[in-house]
Amino acid sequence: CSGFPLSIFFIIINEFCERFSYYGMKAVLILYFKYFLHWEDNFSTAIYHTFVALCYLTPILGAIIADSWLGKFKTIAYLSIVYTIGQAVLSVGSINDLTDHNRDGSPDNVALHIALSMIGLILIAVGTGGIKPCVSAFGGDQFEDDQEEQRSTFFSLFYLAINSGSLLSTIVTPNLRATECGIHTKQRCYPLAFGVPAILMAVALVVFLIGSKMYKKVKPQGNVILQVSKCVGFAIKNRFQHRSKEFPKREHWLDWANEKYDKQLIAQTKMVLKVLFLYIPLPMFWALFDQQGSRWTLQATAMNGIINILNFSSHAHLPQIVNPILIVIMVPVMDYVVYPLIKKCKVNFTPLKKMTVGMFLASMAFVAAALVQVQIDKTYPVFPAAGQTQIKLINLGFTPATVQFQPQLQSVDVAPKEATGYMTFETSKLQSLHITSGFLNKTQPLKLLEGQRYTLAFKQTVLGINSNLIFDNVTSKPEGRQNLIRFINNYPVNVNVTMDDIPFGVLPPLSVSNYSLVPEQSWSFIIKAGMPGIPCTVLSKEFGFGGAYTISVDSCTAGTLNLTYFEDIAPTTVHMAWQIPQYFLLTCGEVVFSVTGLEFSYSQAPTNMKSVLQAGWLLTVAVGNIIVLIVAGAATLSKQWAEYVLFAALLLVVCIIFAVMASFYTYVDPNEIEAQFHEEEKEKDKKDQDDKEKEAEADSQM
């Protein structure tokens, strides 16, 4: 097809579907841990990065299997089956109704869901990691030696398929998760969010197998990674056995492998090890980069993503889509605008300098994330510490009131239909409240628990001052896109309150319902209050999410309910758009660091050892995710912004170390070195041939 093997189109479609499957699943994975399995943030982050690390450790296993035993085609086919099964198991494990026998909306056997999820993730890690080093190389195998131009075009299409699959999936799957599904109770639809990637992976497998008869299948040639490992191992062993001073030193420690391995392999291994030495600081970059799928996604859950366009409100899944969009934009911008401008300024912007800048930009991205986190923390309520109690006052009447905290602690004025914020007192010192409203007064004795919040609701009536001390039973800001809502009856008769299909029960006068978790929605709820002979209805205000509200049912006028809203916890107000600077900095760092790093590794590697450096590059990603586990586990930081600053500082230090290491690196041209060996080999062969001819001539003369 236009000079291209028809088989490559099956490979490109396969890669698109596989990347859609992987990135789509990964986009909602941390949210699944937190909101379905109900793991706390640190544990969710640890499991997430363990999974990512495993995904980047298994490519070495896949490369060894493909090159040593099965070949690339069979390795891709078999591990894709494992991959598909893993996605299916993960999807099944996320079905709430699988164990929700009492139909209360929560799984009855959480252990089963966890087991299925972990089995699924392990199979996915083995599958996606195992095929990672094989697919692109298998595509390259389909071309003949004289099709360099077509092969180059294939790799461009191949990486376009990767980015397209990633971008599309990170838009689609978060929206699938945001829908509600379930047989008995409606939940966030994780089965669909994981099920669609599972279907795409099955499609990827089927498409790949359909092209089976068209593929050019190269037999296993032996694994270069194993050859290099054996060469290094033999050199170390031989040097250790000849460590006494009677043995002369050799120019390089790898030269101790001369007894068993040829000079060309040793020279190539030296070049590889020089680059691998530069890889030592690189994991720190990936430690920060991969947190956009864990810490940054969790940060976004505490932010407001509502976007209003032409009076239409929608909730943006900014964290999942902004990175692939910026990559598509920034790669050509860097290649065709930034780098040419730098070149015109006559700045020698070498690959290693570019990678250093990439590290610095990633460090600054985490500084930006820390600044955003500080603003988010300001919206969090301050709950009472040990030995403290908080009280909020609500005046439900029409007369101003003054409340005196006894004994002589504080005096507060409360206007009609108004409330104070939560006031903090030492529990042992607060004994009672004295309420004065108009010509009436009342003393309210207090028996309070330490570390708790209370609300005192009161109103003046013709019979005196009625009051109710309410235990709030709230210890944290609502998580996810939910609010805490409760109703207080400010009507002289019993009231039956519902909000949409959520019942709040029958409330006697001045009594209050329990808080109920209400999901955020961008339209109003229908609030109904059943009163004797008077059905009353009204549309609620729009709440946003992350807040807690006490709603007073005051009266009914011509069938319309009159309500007063009291804000107990402020809703989330910091918008997700404030994350764009940190994503922009990190994406610029990724483009400068990752793309340049791959290019540098390819240019500095011998022809037959590019797979060794690819394996080393993937290993740095795995180690980076392990660093997250170590640092996040060892650092006892109570504030998330402090952890961001810690990672930024660590990468900045590593960036300086890498810059120093890079300054001592000497660039080489592997092709020239290999050409020298080929010339030496030709001269040796020619000399051997001349010697044979001379021997033959001498024999004939005899």
Side-chain angles (χ1 to χ4, degrees):
C1 184
S2 300
F4 289 89
L6 188 60
S7 57
I8 68 160
F9 296 102
F10 292 96
I11 296 171
I12 290 172
I13 295 171
N14 165 270
E15 184 65 11
F16 170 83
C17 295
E18 189 275 327
R19 289 291 86 186
F20 184 105
S21 177
Y22 176 74
Y23 284 107
M25 173 274 302
K26 191 180 169 190
V28 298
L29 187 59
I30 193 77
L31 303 178
Y32 173 69
F33 291 158
K34 180 169 181 171
Y35 297 120
F36 185 86
L37 299 181
H38 299 293
W39 290 343
E40 53 98 23
D41 287 3
N42 287 338
F43 189 67
S44 298
T45 301
I47 299 300
Y48 176 89
H49 286 284
T50 301
F51 167 70
V52 175
L54 191 58
C55 288
Y56 283 93
L57 285 172
T58 49
I60 298 174
L61 178 64
I64 292 173
I65 292 173
D67 292 344
S68 302
W69 296 297
L70 296 180
K72 297 183 187 71
F73 173 78
K74 289 184 178 179
T75 301
I76 296 170
Y78 293 158
L79 291 181
S80 292
I81 294 172
V82 173
Y83 194 165
T84 306
I85 294 172
Q87 289 279 33
V89 170
L90 178 62
S91 180
V92 170
S94 67
I95 300 175
N96 179 73
D97 293 308
L98 191 65
T99 63
D100 186 15
H101 304 301
N102 60 4
R103 304 184 182 181
D104 64 348
S106 299
D108 297 336
N109 188 355
V110 178
L112 177 62
H113 292 275
I114 293 174
L116 289 173
S117 300
M118 294 304 102
I119 291 170
L121 289 175
I122 291 171
L123 294 177
I124 291 169
V126 171
T128 188
I131 68 175
K132 195 183 294 290
C134 301
V135 180
S136 60
F138 185 67
D141 290 344
Q142 306 308 305
F143 296 89
E144 302 297 334
D145 293 338
D146 59 349
Q147 291 184 298
E148 286 296 328
E149 185 178 343
Q150 289 90 338
R151 183 184 283 112
S152 176
T153 303
F154 160 73
F155 281 116
S156 297
L157 293 173
F158 185 82
Y159 288 112
L160 178 63
I162 292 173
N163 289 322
S164 300
S166 169
L167 176 59
L168 186 60
S169 67
T170 49
I171 294 173
V172 171
T173 54
N175 283 285
L176 294 176
R177 170 198 168 268
T179 60
E180 292 187 343
C181 62
I183 300 172
H184 306 305
T185 57
K186 298 300 179 184
Q187 306 283 335
R188 293 296 186 190
C189 205
Y190 290 103
L192 188 60
F194 291 141
V196 169
I199 293 170
L200 264 292
M201 190 58 225
V203 171
L205 174 60
V206 170
V207 168
F208 183 74
L209 294 177
I210 288 174
S212 175
K213 293 184 179 179
M214 304 179 194
Y215 297 137
K216 178 182 176 183
K217 301 170 186 176
V218 179
K219 292 182 179 180
Q221 302 294 319
N223 195 279
V224 179
I225 297 176
L226 289 178
Q227 292 178 17
V228 171
S229 301
K230 288 178 180 179
C231 178
V232 171
F234 180 79
I236 294 172
K237 178 183 176 182
N238 198 30
R239 177 68 184 91
F240 181 77
Q241 290 175 345
H242 300 84
R243 61 186 181 277
S244 64
K245 294 182 180 180
E246 63 185 80
F247 297 101
K249 290 184 178 180
R250 301 189 183 184
E251 185 179 350
H252 192 279
W253 63 270
L254 264 177
D255 293 332
W256 287 95
N258 281 332
E259 286 84 348
K260 188 174 181 180
Y261 296 93
D262 63 75
K263 291 183 178 181
Q264 183 172 349
L265 176 64
I266 294 172
Q268 291 172 330
T269 304
K270 288 178 183 177
M271 286 187 279
V272 167
L273 291 182
K274 278 181 65 180
V275 179
L276 289 178
F277 176 72
L278 283 176
Y279 281 1
I280 292 174
L282 304 191
M284 200 66 226
F285 173 87
W286 299 113
L288 276 69
F289 177 80
D290 278 331
Q291 286 189 62
Q292 63 182 313
S294 57
R295 291 297 199 199
W296 285 13
T297 300
L298 292 175
Q299 184 187 60
T301 63
M303 303 177 76
N304 185 357
I306 296 293
I307 297 176
N308 292 301
I309 301 175
L310 299 177
N311 294 323
F312 175 77
S313 295
S314 66
H315 207 289
H317 298 276
L318 183 67
Q320 289 84 6
I321 65 174
V322 70
N323 180 253
I325 290 175
L326 285 174
I327 287 176
V328 172
I329 295 172
M330 291 307 299
V331 169
V333 168
M334 297 300 289
D335 286 342
Y336 298 110
V337 179
V338 178
Y339 293 156
L341 284 175
I342 294 174
K343 191 174 181 180
K344 280 188 177 182
C345 294
K346 296 181 180 180
V347 175
N348 185 20
F349 202 33
T350 62
L352 293 179
K353 288 180 181 178
K354 292 178 184 178
M355 294 173 69
T356 304
V357 171
M359 286 183 171
F360 177 77
L361 290 173
S363 178
M364 293 302 100
F366 266 64
V367 172
L371 294 175
V372 171
Q373 189 64 45
V374 168
Q375 297 305 313
I376 294 173
D377 289 347
K378 289 179 181 178
T379 68
Y380 288 152
V382 178
F383 290 95
Q388 294 180 336
T389 299
Q390 290 180 340
I391 293 183
K392 175 179 181 174
L393 305 175
I394 298 180
N395 185 357
L396 297 174
F398 296 97
T399 308
T402 300
V403 178
Q404 174 69 48
F405 292 86
Q406 302 289 358
Q408 302 299 317
L409 295 177
Q410 186 177 343
S411 182
V412 179
D413 295 326
V414 189
K417 299 291 184 180
E418 294 291 339
T420 66
Y422 282 97
M423 295 168 282
T424 305
F425 299 92
E426 290 186 35
T427 309
S428 60
K429 293 183 179 180
L430 186 58
Q431 299 174 3
S432 64
L433 294 170
H434 186 75
I435 308 169
T436 303
S437 181
F439 297 103
L440 302 174
N441 62 77
K442 176 183 179 180
T443 298
Q444 173 84 44
L446 300 174
K447 291 183 179 179
L448 308 174
L449 299 174
E450 292 184 1
Q452 300 297 332
R453 281 183 158 193
Y454 295 86
T455 297
L456 180 70
F458 61 88
K459 64 185 293 188
Q460 179 187 350
T461 67
V462 294
L463 300 177
I465 296 176
N466 294 336
S467 62
N468 184 12
L469 183 66
I470 305 156
F471 176 52
D472 288 352
N473 195 29
V474 175
T475 57
S476 63
K477 190 177 176 70
E479 293 186 336
R481 308 209 172 274
Q482 301 182 104
N483 290 296
L484 287 168
I485 306 290
R486 66 179 178 181
F487 286 86
I488 187 168
N489 183 10
N490 193 24
Y491 210 64
V493 295
N494 291 354
V495 176
N496 185 12
V497 181
T498 61
M499 189 164 77
D500 279 2
D501 57 350
I502 304 172
F504 286 84
V506 178
L507 305 178
L510 213 62
S511 66
V512 65
S513 68
N514 293 324
Y515 278 113
S516 292
L517 276 173
V518 177
E520 168 261 342
Q521 61 187 32
S522 56
W523 59 90
S524 300
F525 294 90
I526 300 174
I527 299 178
K528 297 180 180 179
M531 305 176 185
I534 310 175
C536 260
T537 304
V538 73
L539 293 177
S540 75
K541 74 169 192 174
E542 294 182 11
F543 294 103
F545 70 93
Y549 300 88
T550 297
I551 304 176
S552 172
V553 180
D554 295 330
S555 61
C556 183
T557 306
T560 300
L561 196 60
N562 297 314
L563 305 174
T564 304
Y565 295 86
F566 300 101
E567 187 178 272
D568 302 332
I569 296 176
T572 299
T573 54
V574 181
H575 200 277
M576 282 184 190
W578 286 106
Q579 281 193 317
I580 291 178
Q582 67 200 56
Y583 273 97
F584 176 76
L585 288 169
L586 190 65
T587 303
C588 290
E590 178 191 3
V591 171
V592 177
F593 178 89
S594 183
V595 175
T596 305
L598 289 170
E599 190 179 306
F600 167 77
S601 302
Y602 191 88
S603 67
Q604 296 297 293
T607 306
N608 63 333
M609 293 198 177
K610 298 188 187 299
S611 61
V612 178
L613 286 184
Q614 184 185 23
W617 181 265
L618 295 174
L619 189 61
T620 65
V621 182
V623 175
N625 282 271
I626 294 171
I627 289 174
V628 178
L629 301 178
I630 296 171
V631 174
T636 55
L637 300 173
S638 59
K639 298 293 185 180
Q640 184 57 53
W641 66 263
E643 185 178 294
Y644 289 146
V645 172
L646 174 62
F647 274 106
L650 288 173
L651 183 56
L652 191 59
V653 171
V654 169
C655 176
I656 295 170
I657 294 172
F658 180 77
V660 173
M661 293 170 62
S663 66
F664 290 98
Y665 183 82
T666 303
Y667 290 85
V668 297
D669 186 349
N671 294 327
E672 288 185 6
I673 296 174
E674 289 175 355
Q676 291 177 5
F677 277 105
H678 288 314
E679 288 296 325
E680 290 177 5
E681 193 68 29
K682 286 181 181 179
E683 290 179 5
K684 183 181 177 183
D685 290 342
K686 184 178 179 181
K687 184 179 179 182
D688 291 342
Q689 184 65 31
D690 291 342
D691 290 342
K692 287 180 181 179
E693 289 178 357
K694 288 179 180 179
E695 289 178 5
E697 185 178 347
D699 291 340
S700 64
Q701 290 177 354
M702 291 178 64

